[in-house]
Amino acid sequence: NRVKRNKRRYVSWVGVFQHQKNLPLLLKIAKSYPEVDFKIAGKKLENIDKSTEKALLQLQNQLNVHFVGYLSRIELFPFLSNAICLLNTSYYEGFPNTFLESLAVGTPVVTTDEIDPDHIIKTHCLGFTCKDPDGLLVCLRALISYEKFDYLSLNCIDYVKKHHDQNNLAKIFVQYLNKSKKISNQ
């Protein structure tokens, strides 16, 4: 069940605490936006780098930052569905599962253009992207106050159903096979 914007209370961030995820940037954004709550789901790795560890300690002291720990797949969906957005601060990523999980429950993504796989966020209007990490705060502010949030949220769900739902993809694949079979029989 999709949660309407007026019931969503925080910005979500999901990941392991490692260099790639850029926790110093998350800290900078949380400090710059003290009136917004940030909920962080994840866990610390054993061999954590110094900048991540330092940012993690400072994040723990921020009044608007709350750590929820590691979440199982079952726990992740309610966490994401109650968020205003999924904030991605990573230096690099492939195609994050958390993007699809977030979109599936109608939660838009805020990320950089570089971490927008095949430009799906921008092309399909699934959240907000910016040119570089410094623009994430601007994108986040824009999404939080976005008047058409509920439309955007529904669009996220529709996108996942159309492009990633296993039943829909199976139908498309069967149609393709039938079409190929007809062509080869001619």
Side-chain angles (χ1 to χ4, degrees), residues 7 11 16 30 32 39-40 42-43 47 56 67 90 96 103 120 123 127 139-140 148 150 156-158 161 166 178 185:
K7 302 283 187 189
V11 170
V16 293
S32 298
K39 287 195 178 182
I40 299 173
K43 63 181 180 179
N47 296 329
L56 189 55
F67 286 82
S90 296
L103 298 172
I120 65 162
T123 303
C139 285
L140 183 59
K148 295 181 181 181
D150 288 322
C156 292
I157 293 169
D158 289 343
K161 284 180 181 175
Q166 63 192 18
N178 287 335
N185 286 338

Side-chain angles (χ1 to χ4, degrees), residues 22-33 55 59 133-134 137:
N22 197 356
L23 267 72
L25 178 57
L26 177 59
L27 173 64
K28 179 180 175 183
I29 292 169
K31 280 182 169 182
S32 298
Y33 217 169
L59 281 163
D134 290 333
L137 182 60

Side-chain angles (χ1 to χ4, degrees), residues 30-107:
K31 280 182 169 182
S32 298
Y33 217 169
E35 66 275 18
V36 172
D37 284 332
F38 291 80
K39 287 195 178 182
I40 299 173
K43 63 181 180 179
K44 186 176 175 179
L45 296 177
E46 286 186 28
N47 296 329
I48 192 169
D49 63 280
K50 295 292 181 199
S51 66
T52 299
E53 188 165 21
K54 182 178 176 184
L56 189 55
L57 289 171
Q58 290 179 11
L59 281 163
Q60 290 169 339
N61 291 322
Q62 288 296 120
L63 295 176
N64 63 329
V65 175
H66 312 280
F67 286 82
V68 299
Y70 174 80
L71 300 177
S72 69
R73 291 277 180 232
I74 293 170
E75 296 168 314
L76 187 60
F77 288 107
F79 172 74
L80 290 170
S81 68
N82 286 293
I84 299 164
C85 68
L86 172 68
L87 175 62
N88 176 57
T89 57
S90 296
Y91 290 113
Y92 55 91
E93 290 281 351
F95 191 124
N97 285 334
T98 55
F99 280 20
L100 288 179
E101 291 159 341
S102 185
L103 298 172
V105 295
T107 300

Side-chain angles (χ1 to χ4, degrees), residues 103-104 126 151-164:
L103 298 172
L126 305 173
Y151 166 79
L152 183 65
S153 176
L154 287 170
N155 191 51
C156 292
I157 293 169
D158 289 343
Y159 171 82
V160 172
K161 284 180 181 175
K162 184 176 181 182
H163 297 280
H164 298 278

